[in-house]
């Protein structure tokens, strides 16, 4: 059947095979794509989707080399750098904002807010509800009142925490985030598209702490996910400390998103369904990196725009469930 005569749904169903360059029968013999992937692609409209299990590609859709703003995936990327810096003794998890000299523009932080630790920020439990750069409308709308929760007592997906972590990383290590990521992670795991020039800082006059925004290709995101799946290792080299990734992918909070938990800058999947240490990095509009160790599964997705009707995360988690329960 000529490709020109295929319906959109038929074309989407064949997309994994076409992108991998194998005939349907050969692809089916090697491994089956996750069930429901054609319907998922039609609803999610990603620019690229890569699904790998046990080192074998199950599906490859779109252009995996196209760089897209990874949005809040940035937080898990910074989390990997924190694992290295903490292990090397350059950053202490119990260091408080007061000890580190971290403050903000008026209204400045209170003495109570400055008792928040680095660990509190990594877990999005700082209790600091100052205006932050690069916030979404939902974050602005739902941000608690200043002083309403003491540090460590309440989870809120808080760009102030995430941005201040960027400031602390640069201050304590003396390294630029993007150059550090390129040297310490991207090159060791063989990312083919990322360079430090693919990062930018986004400032807001209402806060001292800029956001750090990455542009990434899906195939580079997949490499990062493979490294996370392997406990931070890549081809025999420990790139990110294994214990740090285990800590990061352990839920410290229940969230408002169904059965999702939150660890250190990673969303944590329900271990009853996915097994221990399973989680994903998520960015607005459909940017994802997922690692599910029990099933040897890694998924990377980029998107140029949010899917119609929203619910990108819910839909993505449903795809992961289909992949591990098939």
């Amino acid at each position: 059947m000529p490709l020109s005569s295929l319906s959109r749904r038929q074309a989407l169903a064949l997309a994994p095979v076409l992108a991998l360059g194998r005939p349907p029968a050969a692809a089916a013999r090697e491994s089956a794509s996750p069930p429901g992937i054609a319907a998922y692609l039609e609803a999610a409209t990603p620019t690229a989707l890569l699904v790998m299990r046990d080192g074998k590609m199950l599906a490859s859709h779109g252009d995996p080399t196209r760089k897209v703003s990874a949005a809040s995936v940035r937080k898990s990327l910074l989390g990997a750098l924190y694992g290295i810096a903490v292990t090397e003794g350059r950053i202490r998890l119990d260091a408080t904002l007061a000890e580190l000299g971290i403050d903000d523009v008026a209204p400045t932080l209170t003495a109570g807010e400055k008792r928040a630790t680095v660990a509190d920020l990594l877990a999005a439990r700082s209790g600091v509800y100052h205006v932050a750069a690069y916030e979404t409308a939902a974050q602005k709308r739902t941000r608690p009142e200043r002083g309403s929760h003491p540090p460590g007592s309440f989870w809120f997906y808080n760009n102030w925490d995430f941005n201040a972590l960027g400031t602390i990383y640069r201050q304590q290590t003396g390294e630029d985030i993007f150059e550090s990521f390129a040297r310490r992670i991207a090159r060791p795991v063989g990312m083919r598209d990322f360079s430090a020039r693919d990062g930018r800082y986004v400032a807001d006059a209402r806060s001292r702490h800029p956001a750090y925004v990455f542009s990434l290709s899906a195939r580079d995101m997949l490499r990062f996910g493979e490294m996370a799946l392997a406990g931070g290792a890549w081809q025999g080299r420990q790139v990110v400390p294994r214990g740090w990734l285990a800590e990061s992918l352990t839920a410290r909070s229940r969230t408002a998103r169904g059965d999702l938990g939150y660890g250190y800058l990673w969303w944590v999947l329900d271990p009853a369904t996915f097994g221990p240490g399973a989680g994903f990095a998520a960015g607005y509009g459909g940017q994802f990196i997922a690692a599910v160790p029990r099933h040897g599964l890694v998924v990377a997705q980029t998107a140029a725009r949010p899917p119609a009707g929203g619910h990108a995360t819910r839909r993505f988690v449903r795809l992961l469930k289909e992949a591990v329960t098939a």
Side-chain angles (χ1 to χ4, degrees):
M1 178 186 296
L3 292 179
S4 59
S5 66
L6 292 175
S7 69
R8 174 173 172 77
R9 181 172 289 274
Q10 288 171 321
L12 288 169
L14 282 174
V17 174
L18 296 172
L20 290 171
R22 295 191 302 275
R29 283 194 301 270
E30 180 179 305
S31 53
S33 297
I37 195 166
Y40 175 82
L41 290 170
E42 189 166 23
T45 62
T47 57
L49 175 70
L50 301 174
V51 183
M52 178 179 284
R53 175 179 282 141
D54 297 328
K56 294 181 179 180
M57 197 71 76
L58 302 188
S60 176
H61 166 80
D63 182 358
T65 70
R66 177 180 172 182
K67 296 178 186 178
V68 173
S69 175
S72 288
V73 167
R74 68 190 178 100
K75 297 153 190 174
S76 304
L77 306 181
L78 181 68
L81 290 176
Y82 259 82
I84 298 169
V86 168
T87 302
E88 293 177 348
R90 294 183 295 157
I91 299 177
R92 289 178 21 239
L93 291 179
D94 63 353
T96 66
L97 298 181
E99 290 178 75
L100 296 168
I102 297 297
D103 206 333
D104 215 325
V105 301
T108 57
L109 303 192
T110 66
E113 288 172 328
K114 289 183 181 180
R115 287 198 290 269
T117 65
V118 170
D120 291 332
L121 272 64
L122 288 165
R125 299 178 68 93
S126 75
V128 179
Y129 306 125
H130 193 285
V131 174
Y134 211 55
E135 287 183 305
T136 65
Q139 287 173 319
K140 294 175 184 177
R141 185 177 65 253
T142 60
R143 182 170 52 233
E145 294 292 325
R146 293 282 296 273
S148 58
H149 302 285
S153 69
F154 184 78
W155 180 84
F156 174 68
Y157 190 73
N158 189 1
N159 264 22
W160 192 92
D161 292 12
F162 309 136
N163 296 346
L165 285 168
T167 298
I168 293 167
Y169 183 85
R170 297 194 309 275
Q171 172 183 293
Q172 296 302 112
T173 67
E175 298 178 10
D176 173 77
I177 290 171
F178 307 112
E179 291 177 356
S180 187
F181 186 82
R183 178 168 61 88
R184 294 179 175 274
I185 295 176
R187 286 200 287 272
V189 305
M191 289 187 181
R192 290 178 281 179
D193 304 311
F194 179 79
S195 78
R197 294 187 298 276
D198 293 315
R200 62 188 176 94
Y201 293 99
V202 178
D204 188 310
R206 298 170 296 173
S207 177
R208 292 182 184 175
H209 310 294
Y212 39 91
V213 182
F214 288 73
S215 290
L216 294 171
S217 67
R219 66 181 181 178
D220 280 354
M221 290 166 63
L222 190 74
R223 286 287 174 100
F224 185 83
E226 288 182 86
M227 180 268 295
L229 186 77
W234 186 263
Q235 296 182 348
R237 174 182 175 181
Q238 199 68 42
V239 178
V240 177
R242 178 178 293 275
W244 177 259
L245 279 171
E247 288 290 312
S248 299
L249 286 159
T250 297
R252 285 167 170 73
S253 303
R254 289 290 300 273
T255 75
R257 295 189 176 185
D259 55 7
L260 292 179
Y262 201 78
Y264 280 163
L265 304 182
W266 282 85
W267 295 93
V268 180
L269 291 160
D270 180 9
T273 300
F274 295 95
F280 61 94
Y284 176 76
Q287 327 304 327
F288 296 106
I289 305 172
V292 185
R294 175 180 287 176
H295 299 274
L297 184 71
V298 185
V299 183
Q301 177 178 298
T302 55
R305 62 185 183 275
H311 305 300
T313 299
R314 186 182 306 170
R315 189 178 290 116
F316 182 74
V317 172
R318 190 181 305 127
L319 176 71
L320 296 177
K321 285 183 179 178
E322 291 174 348
V324 302
T325 59

